[in-house]
Amino acid sequence: MRLNHIVKSVAVALFGTVAFSAAVHAAEITGAGSSFVYPGYSKWAETYKEKTGNSLNYQSIGSGGGIKQIKAKTVDFGASDMPLTLAELNEAGLTQFPAIVGGVTLVVNLEGVKPGQLKLSGPVMAGIYSGKIAKWNDKAIAELNPGVKLPADDITAVYRSDASGTTFVVTSYMSKVSPEFKTAIGSGTAVKWPAGIGGKGNEGVAANVQKVKGSIGYVEYAYAKANKMSFTQMKNADGVFVEPNLKTFAAASAAGDWAKTPGFGVDFTNVSGKDSWPITSASFVIVQKAQEADGAKGKEVLKFFDWAFKNGQKQAEDLAYVPLPASVVKLVEDSWKQNVKDSSGKAVW
């Protein structure tokens, strides 16, 4: 199924039974935020339904929306590709943990250019998104692609129109590799783009790139893969051109020091390593520290991710996400015991 045709707000109906004192109950949890993780969470939820009978209603509304909703307590968890700082978490009474790692991929609509054929670098990407590089046959692109026939067409840069963790990841990356981009545009979930067109969610960016000749956009790799889009190679911090795939995402994620990073907010963009994909990111789950009443909802959220960590790895890898290693899962679940409590102050996990 083409991901850009998937409805943004998806309710995965999880039918099943759990017996409590001869009564039949089915737990339901709600989440909202990152479209980066939507393909993975959707697949996990489908299988979780089959195995447990419990349901997840996840709204793919962008990381900014997910952060707002968990702060407003209108969902059981928020999902964001931009980690909140420890100060932000403490101020709002929240805690966060990584759930999955993936790669942001550049996709293009250029006639005659095959997937993985076009090579780009961070500075060239920044030049395109800052409006400094406006033609596909620009010298900066041509020098990276000897032998590739590049049209003289205008470049249409497609970006996220909603508050987006994916935008945070790519703007953080471009700010690292281009001082000019950092000064003129900077990083964040929403920035003021000088040119181009917006799309809502990873789905919207993918759809616009498919429709607009000469366009380029940034999407989580699962969207490029599912829609058979023409992705680019990228020059990494070691000067090596690499393709987006599970191997290069995993190579980048190996650089993370989860134990020593407050709030688990590890940054994988532009890390060293000859095999590392330069625009790799974790996605984070955000929950309230103080759960209502006996903390039943919070416990169900943690049960879902515990199940996913232990049983969803193959499904994640099939979509080119990198599952968390067992050592990181232990750190995460230890943090649950310390941080997520019911109204009496008792740990829910």
Side-chain angles (χ1 to χ4, degrees), residues 108-303:
V108 297
N109 184 342
L110 284 175
E111 189 175 350
V113 175
K114 300 175 183 177
Q117 183 180 15
L118 190 70
K119 296 178 179 179
L120 295 177
S121 66
V124 168
M125 176 184 175
I128 290 171
Y129 272 93
S130 64
K132 304 296 183 182
I133 298 175
K135 298 280 188 181
W136 279 111
N137 64 349
D138 186 282
K139 182 181 177 183
I141 301 175
E143 287 179 344
L144 297 176
N145 294 277
V148 177
K149 187 177 180 181
L150 296 168
D153 297 345
D154 291 338
I155 299 174
T156 299
V158 183
Y159 53 82
R160 288 284 291 275
S161 58
D162 51 335
S164 157
T166 310
T167 294
F168 170 77
V169 173
V170 298
T171 55
S172 295
Y173 168 63
M174 289 188 282
S175 292
K176 286 182 180 180
V177 298
S178 170
E180 185 178 6
F181 183 93
K182 182 177 181 179
T183 300
I185 297 174
S187 63
T189 57
V191 298
K192 189 174 181 179
W193 299 106
I197 59 174
K200 193 172 183 181
N202 274 269
E203 303 94 327
V205 172
N208 279 343
V209 171
Q210 288 177 307
K211 288 187 292 187
V212 180
K213 182 181 177 183
S215 61
I216 183 171
Y218 54 86
V219 295
E220 200 283 324
Y221 179 65
Y223 292 83
K225 184 178 180 182
N227 289 291
K228 297 180 172 59
M229 302 182 77
S230 185
F231 58 83
T232 75
Q233 294 185 50
M234 288 294 294
K235 191 175 186 179
N236 66 20
D238 282 23
V240 179
F241 285 102
V242 290
E243 289 193 4
N245 54 47
L246 187 62
K247 176 186 174 183
T248 57
F249 303 157
S253 69
D257 191 345
W258 297 102
K260 295 182 180 178
T261 306
F264 294 111
V266 173
D267 181 0
F268 298 129
T269 57
N270 206 41
V271 296
S272 60
K274 65 181 180 65
D275 294 325
S276 294
W277 180 253
I279 327 176
T280 299
S281 174
S283 191
F284 301 86
V285 173
I286 308 169
V287 297
Q288 294 283 341
K289 284 184 178 180
Q291 296 287 316
E292 295 181 357
D294 62 356
K297 282 288 189 178
K299 186 173 183 178
E300 290 299 331
V301 170
L302 303 185
K303 281 172 64 177

Side-chain angles (χ1 to χ4, degrees), residues 15-62:
F15 298 105
T17 60
V18 181
F20 294 102
S21 303
V24 177
H25 300 278
E28 178 176 276
I29 55 175
T30 59
S34 165
S35 62
F36 178 96
V37 296
Y38 171 72
Y41 285 7
S42 178
K43 193 64 180 176
W44 281 349
E46 180 184 351
T47 307
Y48 190 63
K49 171 258 298 188
E50 296 171 357
K51 301 297 183 182
T52 71
N54 297 327
S55 70
L56 166 64
N57 182 325
Y58 183 75
Q59 301 171 23
S60 174
I61 61 172

